[in-house]
Coordinates of all heavy atoms in Angstrom, one line a residue:
M972 N 0.9 -1.2 0.0 CA 0.0 -0.1 0.1 C 0.9 1.2 0.0 O 1.8 1.4 0.8 CB -0.8 0.0 1.3 CG -2.2 0.6 1.1 SD -3.1 0.6 2.6 CE -4.4 -0.6 2.2
N973 N 0.6 2.2 -0.9 CA 1.4 3.4 -0.9 C 0.8 4.5 0.1 O -0.2 4.3 0.6 CB 1.6 3.9 -2.4 CG 0.3 4.4 -3.0 OD1 -0.6 5.0 -2.3 ND2 0.1 4.1 -4.2
G974 N 1.5 5.7 0.1 CA 1.0 6.6 1.0 C -0.4 7.1 0.8 O -1.2 7.4 1.7
K975 N -0.7 7.3 -0.5 CA -2.2 7.8 -0.8 C -3.1 6.7 -0.4 O -4.2 7.2 0.1 CB -2.3 8.1 -2.3 CG -1.6 9.3 -2.7 CD -2.3 10.6 -2.1 CE -1.6 11.8 -2.4 NZ -1.8 12.9 -1.4
D976 N -2.9 5.4 -0.6 CA -3.7 4.3 -0.2 C -4.0 4.4 1.3 O -5.1 4.3 1.9 CB -3.3 3.0 -0.6 CG -3.5 2.8 -2.1 OD1 -4.2 3.4 -2.8 OD2 -2.8 2.0 -2.7
D977 N -2.9 4.7 2.0 CA -3.0 4.8 3.5 C -3.9 5.9 3.9 O -4.7 5.8 4.8 CB -1.5 5.0 4.1 CG -0.6 3.7 4.0 OD1 -1.2 2.6 3.7 OD2 0.5 3.8 4.2
E978 N -3.8 7.0 3.3 CA -4.6 8.2 3.5 C -6.0 8.0 3.2 O -6.8 8.4 4.0 CB -4.0 9.5 2.8 CG -2.7 9.9 3.4 CD -2.3 11.2 2.8 OE1 -2.7 11.6 1.7 OE2 -1.4 11.9 3.5
R979 N -6.3 7.4 2.2 CA -7.7 7.0 1.9 C -8.3 6.1 2.9 O -9.4 6.3 3.4 CB -7.8 6.3 0.5 CG -7.4 7.2 -0.7 CD -7.5 6.3 -2.0 NE -6.8 7.2 -2.9 CZ -6.4 6.7 -4.2 NH1 -6.6 5.5 -4.5 NH2 -5.9 7.5 -5.0
Y980 N -7.5 5.0 3.3 CA -8.0 4.2 4.4 C -8.2 4.9 5.7 O -9.2 4.7 6.4 CB -7.0 3.1 4.6 CG -7.6 2.0 5.5 CD1 -8.5 1.0 5.2 CD2 -7.1 2.0 6.8 CE1 -8.9 0.1 6.1 CE2 -7.5 1.0 7.8 CZ -8.4 0.1 7.3 OH -8.9 -0.8 8.3
K981 N -7.2 5.9 6.0 CA -7.3 6.6 7.2 C -8.7 7.5 7.2 O -9.3 7.6 8.2 CB -6.1 7.6 7.3 CG -5.7 8.0 8.7 CD -4.4 8.8 8.4 CE -3.5 8.9 9.7 NZ -2.4 9.6 9.6
I982 N -8.9 8.1 6.1 CA -10.3 8.9 6.0 C -11.5 8.0 6.2 O -12.4 8.3 6.9 CB -10.2 9.7 4.7 CG1 -9.1 10.8 4.8 CG2 -11.6 10.3 4.4 CD1 -9.0 11.6 3.6
L983 N -11.5 6.9 5.5 CA -12.6 5.9 5.6 C -12.8 5.4 7.0 O -13.9 5.4 7.6 CB -12.4 4.8 4.6 CG -12.7 5.0 3.1 CD1 -12.4 3.8 2.3 CD2 -14.1 5.4 2.9
K984 N -11.6 5.2 7.7 CA -11.7 4.7 9.1 C -12.2 5.8 10.0 O -12.9 5.6 11.0 CB -10.2 4.2 9.5 CG -10.3 3.5 10.8 CD -9.0 2.7 10.9 CE -8.8 2.0 12.1 NZ -9.8 1.0 12.3
A985 N -11.8 7.1 9.7 CA -12.4 8.2 10.5 C -13.9 8.3 10.4 O -14.5 8.5 11.5 CB -11.6 9.5 10.1
F986 N -14.4 8.1 9.1 CA -15.9 7.9 9.1 C -16.4 6.9 10.0 O -17.5 7.0 10.7 CB -16.4 7.6 7.7 CG -16.2 8.9 6.8 CD1 -15.3 9.0 5.8 CD2 -17.3 9.9 6.9 CE1 -15.3 10.1 5.0 CE2 -17.3 10.9 6.1 CZ -16.3 11.1 5.2
S987 N -15.9 5.7 9.8 CA -16.4 4.5 10.5 C -16.3 4.6 12.1 O -17.1 3.9 12.9 CB -15.8 3.2 10.0 OG -14.4 3.1 10.4
E988 N -15.4 5.2 12.6 CA -15.2 5.4 14.1 C -15.8 6.6 14.7 O -15.8 6.8 15.9 CB -13.7 5.3 14.3 CG -13.0 4.0 14.0 CD -11.5 4.0 14.2 OE1 -10.9 5.1 14.5 OE2 -11.0 2.9 14.2
S989 N -16.5 7.4 13.9 CA -17.0 8.6 14.4 C -18.4 8.4 14.9 O -19.1 7.6 14.4 CB -17.1 9.7 13.3 OG -17.7 10.8 13.7
R990 N -18.8 9.2 15.9 CA -20.1 9.1 16.4 C -21.1 10.1 15.5 O -22.2 9.9 15.6 CB -20.3 9.7 17.8 CG -19.8 11.1 18.1 CD -19.8 11.5 19.6 NE -19.4 12.7 19.8 CZ -20.1 13.7 20.3 NH1 -21.2 13.3 21.0 NH2 -19.6 14.9 20.5
Y991 N -20.4 10.7 14.5 CA -21.3 11.6 13.6 C -21.4 10.8 12.2 O -20.4 10.2 11.8 CB -20.5 12.9 13.4 CG -20.3 13.7 14.6 CD1 -19.0 13.9 15.2 CD2 -21.3 14.4 15.2 CE1 -18.8 14.5 16.3 CE2 -21.1 15.0 16.4 CZ -19.8 15.2 16.9 OH -19.7 15.9 18.0
I992 N -22.6 11.0 11.7 CA -22.8 10.4 10.4 C -22.1 11.3 9.3 O -21.6 10.9 8.3 CB -24.3 10.3 10.1 CG1 -24.9 9.2 11.1 CG2 -24.6 9.8 8.7 CD1 -26.4 9.0 11.1
Y993 N -22.4 12.6 9.5 CA -22.0 13.6 8.5 C -20.7 14.2 9.0 O -20.6 14.6 10.2 CB -23.0 14.7 8.2 CG -24.3 14.2 7.6 CD1 -25.3 13.8 8.3 CD2 -24.2 14.0 6.2 CE1 -26.5 13.3 7.8 CE2 -25.5 13.5 5.5 CZ -26.5 13.1 6.3 OH -27.6 12.6 5.7
R994 N -19.7 14.3 8.1 CA -18.4 14.8 8.6 C -18.0 16.0 7.7 O -18.3 16.1 6.6 CB -17.3 13.7 8.4 CG -17.5 12.4 9.2 CD -17.5 12.7 10.7 NE -16.4 13.5 11.3 CZ -15.2 13.0 11.7 NH1 -15.1 11.6 11.7 NH2 -14.3 13.8 12.0
S995 N -17.3 17.0 8.3 CA -16.8 18.1 7.6 C -15.4 17.9 7.1 O -14.7 17.1 7.7 CB -16.8 19.4 8.4 OG -15.9 19.3 9.6
L996 N -15.1 18.6 6.2 CA -13.7 18.6 5.6 C -12.7 18.9 6.7 O -11.8 18.2 6.9 CB -13.6 19.6 4.5 CG -12.3 19.8 3.7 CD1 -11.8 18.5 3.0 CD2 -12.2 21.0 2.8
G997 N -13.0 20.0 7.5 CA -12.0 20.4 8.5 C -12.0 19.4 9.6 O -10.9 19.1 10.2
G998 N -13.0 18.8 9.8 CA -13.1 17.7 10.9 C -12.3 16.6 10.6 O -11.5 16.0 11.3
L999 N -12.5 16.2 9.4 CA -11.7 14.9 8.8 C -10.2 15.3 8.8 O -9.4 14.4 9.1 CB -12.2 14.5 7.4 CG -13.5 13.9 7.5 CD1 -14.0 13.8 6.0 CD2 -13.5 12.5 8.0
S1000 N -9.9 16.5 8.5 CA -8.5 17.0 8.4 C -7.8 16.9 9.8 O -6.8 16.4 10.0 CB -8.4 18.4 7.7 OG -7.0 18.8 7.8
K1001 N -8.6 17.6 10.7 CA -8.1 17.5 12.1 C -7.9 16.1 12.6 O -6.8 15.8 13.3 CB -9.1 18.5 12.8 CG -8.6 18.7 14.3 CD -9.6 19.6 15.0 CE -9.1 19.8 16.5 NZ -10.0 20.7 17.1
E1002 N -8.9 15.3 12.5 CA -8.8 13.9 13.0 C -7.8 13.1 12.5 O -7.1 12.4 13.1 CB -10.2 13.3 12.9 CG -10.2 11.9 13.6 CD -11.6 11.3 13.6 OE1 -12.6 12.0 13.4 OE2 -11.6 10.1 13.6
T1003 N -7.6 13.2 11.1 CA -6.6 12.3 10.5 C -5.1 13.0 10.4 O -4.1 12.2 10.1 CB -7.0 12.1 9.1 OG1 -7.1 13.2 8.3 CG2 -8.4 11.3 9.0
G1004 N -5.0 14.2 10.6 CA -3.7 14.9 10.4 C -3.4 15.2 9.1 O -2.2 15.4 8.7
I1005 N -4.3 15.0 8.1 CA -4.1 15.2 6.7 C -4.5 16.7 6.4 O -5.6 17.0 6.8 CB -4.8 14.2 5.8 CG1 -4.4 12.8 6.2 CG2 -4.6 14.4 4.3 CD1 -5.3 11.7 5.7
S1006 N -3.7 17.4 5.6 CA -4.1 18.8 5.2 C -5.5 18.8 4.5 O -5.9 17.8 3.9 CB -3.0 19.4 4.2 OG -3.2 18.8 2.9
K1007 N -6.2 19.9 4.6 CA -7.5 20.1 4.1 C -7.4 19.8 2.6 O -8.4 19.3 2.0 CB -8.0 21.5 4.4 CG -8.6 21.6 5.8 CD -9.2 23.0 5.9 CE -9.6 23.2 7.3 NZ -10.3 24.5 7.6
E1008 N -6.4 20.4 2.0 CA -6.2 20.3 0.5 C -6.2 18.8 0.2 O -6.9 18.3 -0.8 CB -5.0 20.9 0.0 CG -5.0 22.5 0.2 CD -4.7 23.0 1.6 OE1 -4.1 22.1 2.4 OE2 -5.0 24.1 1.9
N1009 N -5.4 18.0 0.9 CA -5.3 16.5 0.6 C -6.6 15.9 0.9 O -6.9 14.9 0.1 CB -4.1 15.8 1.2 CG -2.8 16.3 0.6 OD1 -2.8 16.6 -0.6 ND2 -1.7 16.0 1.3
V1010 N -7.2 16.2 2.0 CA -8.5 15.5 2.3 C -9.5 15.7 1.2 O -10.2 14.8 0.8 CB -9.0 16.1 3.7 CG1 -10.4 15.6 3.9 CG2 -8.2 15.5 4.8
Q1011 N -9.5 17.0 0.7 CA -10.5 17.3 -0.4 C -10.3 16.5 -1.7 O -11.0 15.9 -2.2 CB -10.5 18.7 -0.7 CG -11.5 19.2 -1.9 CD -12.9 19.1 -1.4 OE1 -13.4 19.7 -0.6 NE2 -13.6 18.1 -2.0
M1012 N -8.9 16.3 -1.9 CA -8.5 15.6 -3.1 C -8.9 14.0 -3.0 O -9.5 13.5 -3.8 CB -7.0 15.7 -3.3 CG -6.5 15.0 -4.6 SD -4.7 15.2 -4.8 CE -4.2 14.3 -3.4
I1013 N -8.7 13.5 -1.8 CA -8.9 12.2 -1.5 C -10.5 11.9 -1.4 O -10.9 10.9 -1.9 CB -8.2 11.7 -0.1 CG1 -6.8 11.6 -0.3 CG2 -8.7 10.4 0.3 CD1 -5.9 11.6 1.0
L1014 N -11.2 12.9 -0.9 CA -12.7 12.8 -0.9 C -13.2 12.8 -2.3 O -14.2 12.0 -2.5 CB -13.3 13.9 -0.1 CG -13.2 13.9 1.5 CD1 -13.7 15.2 2.2 CD2 -14.0 12.7 2.0
N1015 N -12.7 13.6 -3.1 CA -13.2 13.5 -4.6 C -12.9 12.1 -5.1 O -13.8 11.6 -5.8 CB -12.4 14.5 -5.4 CG -12.9 16.0 -5.0 OD1 -14.0 16.2 -4.5 ND2 -12.0 17.0 -5.3
I1016 N -11.8 11.5 -4.9 CA -11.5 10.2 -5.4 C -12.6 9.2 -4.8 O -13.0 8.3 -5.5 CB -10.0 9.7 -5.0 CG1 -9.1 10.6 -5.8 CG2 -9.8 8.3 -5.4 CD1 -7.7 10.6 -5.3
L1017 N -12.8 9.3 -3.4 CA -13.7 8.4 -2.7 C -15.1 8.5 -3.3 O -15.8 7.5 -3.4 CB -13.5 8.6 -1.3 CG -12.1 8.2 -0.6 CD1 -12.2 8.6 0.9 CD2 -11.9 6.7 -0.7
I1018 N -15.4 9.8 -3.6 CA -16.8 10.1 -4.2 C -16.9 9.3 -5.6 O -17.9 8.6 -5.8 CB -17.0 11.5 -4.3 CG1 -17.3 12.1 -2.8 CG2 -18.2 11.8 -5.0 CD1 -17.3 13.6 -2.7
N1019 N -15.8 9.5 -6.3 CA -15.8 8.9 -7.7 C -15.9 7.3 -7.6 O -16.4 6.8 -8.6 CB -14.6 9.3 -8.5 CG -14.7 10.7 -9.0 OD1 -15.8 11.3 -9.1 ND2 -13.5 11.4 -9.2
H1020 N -15.4 6.8 -6.7 CA -15.5 5.4 -6.4 C -16.7 4.9 -5.7 O -16.8 3.7 -5.2 CB -14.2 4.7 -5.8 CG -13.0 4.9 -6.7 ND1 -12.2 5.9 -6.7 CD2 -12.6 3.9 -7.6 CE1 -11.2 5.7 -7.6 NE2 -11.5 4.6 -8.2
E1021 N -17.6 5.8 -5.3 CA -18.9 5.6 -4.5 C -18.7 5.0 -3.2 O -19.4 4.2 -2.7 CB -19.8 4.6 -5.4 CG -20.1 5.3 -6.7 CD -21.0 4.3 -7.6 OE1 -21.2 3.1 -7.3 OE2 -21.5 4.8 -8.6
L1022 N -17.5 5.5 -2.5 CA -17.2 5.0 -1.2 C -17.7 6.1 -0.2 O -17.8 5.8 1.0 CB -15.7 4.8 -1.1 CG -15.1 3.8 -1.9 CD1 -13.6 3.7 -1.8 CD2 -15.7 2.3 -1.8
V1023 N -17.8 7.3 -0.6 CA -18.3 8.4 0.1 C -19.2 9.2 -0.6 O -19.2 9.3 -1.9 CB -17.0 9.4 0.5 CG1 -17.5 10.7 1.2 CG2 -16.1 8.6 1.5
E1024 N -20.2 9.8 0.0 CA -21.2 10.7 -0.7 C -21.0 12.1 -0.1 O -20.7 12.3 1.1 CB -22.6 10.3 -0.4 CG -23.0 9.0 -1.1 CD -24.4 8.6 -0.9 OE1 -25.1 9.3 -0.1 OE2 -24.7 7.6 -1.4
Q1025 N -21.4 13.1 -0.9 CA -21.4 14.5 -0.4 C -22.8 15.0 -0.2 O -23.7 14.6 -1.1 CB -20.7 15.4 -1.5 CG -20.7 16.9 -1.2 CD -19.8 17.6 -2.1 OE1 -18.7 17.3 -2.6 NE2 -20.4 18.8 -2.5
A1026 N -23.1 15.8 0.8 CA -24.5 16.3 1.1 C -24.4 17.6 1.6 O -23.6 18.1 2.1 CB -25.1 15.3 2.3
N1027 N -25.4 18.5 1.1 CA -25.6 19.8 1.5 C -26.4 19.8 2.7 O -27.6 19.5 2.7 CB -26.2 20.6 0.4 CG -25.3 20.9 -0.8 OD1 -24.1 21.0 -0.5 ND2 -25.8 20.8 -1.9
R1028 N -25.9 20.2 3.9 CA -26.5 20.2 5.2 C -26.7 21.6 5.7 O -26.1 22.5 5.1 CB -25.6 19.3 6.2 CG -25.3 18.0 5.8 CD -26.5 17.1 5.8 NE -27.1 17.0 7.0 CZ -28.2 16.5 7.4 NH1 -29.0 16.0 6.4 NH2 -28.6 16.4 8.7
P1029 N -27.5 21.8 6.7 CA -27.7 23.3 7.2 C -26.4 23.9 7.6 O -26.4 25.2 7.3 CB -28.6 23.1 8.5 CG -29.3 21.7 8.1 CD -28.4 20.9 7.4
K1030 N -25.4 23.2 8.0 CA -24.2 23.8 8.4 C -23.1 23.8 7.3 O -22.0 24.2 7.4 CB -23.6 23.2 9.6 CG -24.3 23.4 10.8 CD -23.7 22.9 12.1 CE -24.5 23.2 13.3 NZ -23.8 22.8 14.5
G1031 N -23.6 23.4 6.0 CA -22.7 23.4 4.8 C -22.5 22.1 4.3 O -23.2 21.1 4.6
V1032 N -21.5 21.9 3.5 CA -21.3 20.7 2.8 C -20.7 19.7 3.8 O -19.8 20.0 4.5 CB -20.2 20.9 1.6 CG1 -19.9 19.6 1.0 CG2 -20.8 21.8 0.6
R1033 N -21.2 18.5 3.8 CA -20.7 17.3 4.7 C -20.5 16.2 3.9 O -21.0 16.1 2.7 CB -21.7 17.2 5.8 CG -21.9 18.2 6.8 CD -20.6 18.6 7.6 NE -20.8 19.6 8.5 CZ -20.3 20.9 8.4 NH1 -19.9 21.3 7.2 NH2 -20.6 21.7 9.4
F1034 N -19.8 15.1 4.4 CA -19.6 14.0 3.7 C -19.9 12.9 4.6 O -19.9 12.9 5.8 CB -18.0 13.9 3.4 CG -17.5 15.0 2.6 CD1 -17.1 16.2 3.2 CD2 -17.6 15.1 1.2 CE1 -16.7 17.3 2.4 CE2 -17.3 16.1 0.4 CZ -16.8 17.3 1.0
L1035 N -20.4 11.7 4.0 CA -20.8 10.5 4.8 C -20.2 9.2 3.9 O -20.2 9.3 2.8 CB -22.2 10.4 5.0 CG -23.2 10.3 3.8 CD1 -24.4 9.5 4.3 CD2 -23.6 11.6 3.3
I1036 N -19.9 8.3 4.6 CA -19.4 7.0 4.1 C -20.7 6.3 3.6 O -21.7 6.2 4.1 CB -18.6 6.2 5.1 CG1 -17.8 5.0 4.5 CG2 -19.4 5.8 6.3 CD1 -16.8 4.4 5.4
T1037 N -20.5 5.5 2.4 CA -21.5 4.7 1.8 C -21.3 3.3 2.4 O -20.3 2.9 3.0 CB -21.4 4.6 0.2 OG1 -20.1 4.0 0.0 CG2 -21.5 6.0 -0.2
Q1038 N -22.4 2.5 2.1 CA -22.3 1.0 2.5 C -21.0 0.4 1.8 O -20.4 -0.4 2.4 CB -23.5 0.3 2.1 CG -23.6 -1.1 2.5 CD -23.6 -1.2 4.1 OE1 -24.2 -0.4 4.7 NE2 -23.0 -2.2 4.6
K1039 N -20.8 0.7 0.5 CA -19.6 0.2 -0.2 C -18.3 0.6 0.6 O -17.4 -0.2 0.6 CB -19.6 0.8 -1.6 CG -18.5 0.2 -2.5 CD -18.8 0.7 -4.0 CE -17.7 0.3 -4.9 NZ -17.9 0.8 -6.2
G1040 N -18.3 1.9 1.1 CA -17.1 2.3 1.9 C -17.0 1.6 3.1 O -15.7 1.2 3.6
R1041 N -18.0 1.3 3.8 CA -17.9 0.5 5.1 C -17.5 -0.9 4.9 O -16.7 -1.4 5.7 CB -19.4 0.4 5.7 CG -19.8 1.8 6.3 CD -21.1 1.5 7.1 NE -21.6 2.8 7.5 CZ -21.1 3.6 8.4 NH1 -20.1 3.2 9.1 NH2 -21.7 4.7 8.9
Q1042 N -17.8 -1.5 3.8 CA -17.3 -2.8 3.5 C -15.9 -2.9 3.3 O -15.2 -3.9 3.7 CB -18.0 -3.3 2.1 CG -19.4 -3.7 2.2 CD -20.1 -4.0 0.9 OE1 -19.6 -3.7 -0.2 NE2 -21.3 -4.6 1.1
I1043 N -15.2 -1.8 2.8 CA -13.7 -1.8 2.7 C -13.2 -1.8 4.1 O -12.1 -2.5 4.3 CB -13.3 -0.6 1.8 CG1 -13.6 -0.7 0.5 CG2 -11.7 -0.3 2.0 CD1 -13.3 0.3 -0.5
I1044 N -13.7 -1.1 5.0 CA -13.2 -1.0 6.4 C -13.4 -2.3 7.1 O -12.5 -2.8 7.8 CB -13.8 0.1 7.2 CG1 -13.5 1.6 6.5 CG2 -13.5 0.2 8.6 CD1 -12.1 1.9 6.6
F1045 N -14.5 -2.9 6.9 CA -14.9 -4.1 7.8 C -14.6 -5.4 7.1 O -14.9 -6.5 7.6 CB -16.4 -4.0 8.2 CG -16.6 -2.7 9.1 CD1 -17.4 -1.8 8.7 CD2 -15.9 -2.6 10.4 CE1 -17.6 -0.7 9.5 CE2 -16.3 -1.7 11.1 CZ -17.0 -0.6 10.8
N1046 N -13.9 -5.3 6.0 CA -13.6 -6.6 5.4 C -12.1 -6.8 5.3 O -11.3 -6.0 5.5 CB -14.1 -6.7 3.9 CG -15.5 -7.0 3.9 OD1 -16.0 -7.6 4.8 ND2 -16.2 -6.7 2.8

C-alpha cells in the first residue's frame, strides 16, 4: 500500500469510528492529520469510487461514508 492508499484508508476509518454520520472537511483533516487540501482531493476520489457521498446540510457541505465504503473498512 502506498501513502495515498494509507490516507484513503485513514479517512474511511475516521468515518467508521466517528459518532457523527456527516463529517466536515475540517473535522476529517483535524482527526486524520491530513491537510485540508489533501483531504478534499482524497474525498473527490472516494466520491468517484462511490465510497463516500457529499451532502448539503444546514451547516454546509458534509460527507458520509457509503455502504460500499464501510465494506472496505470491515472486510
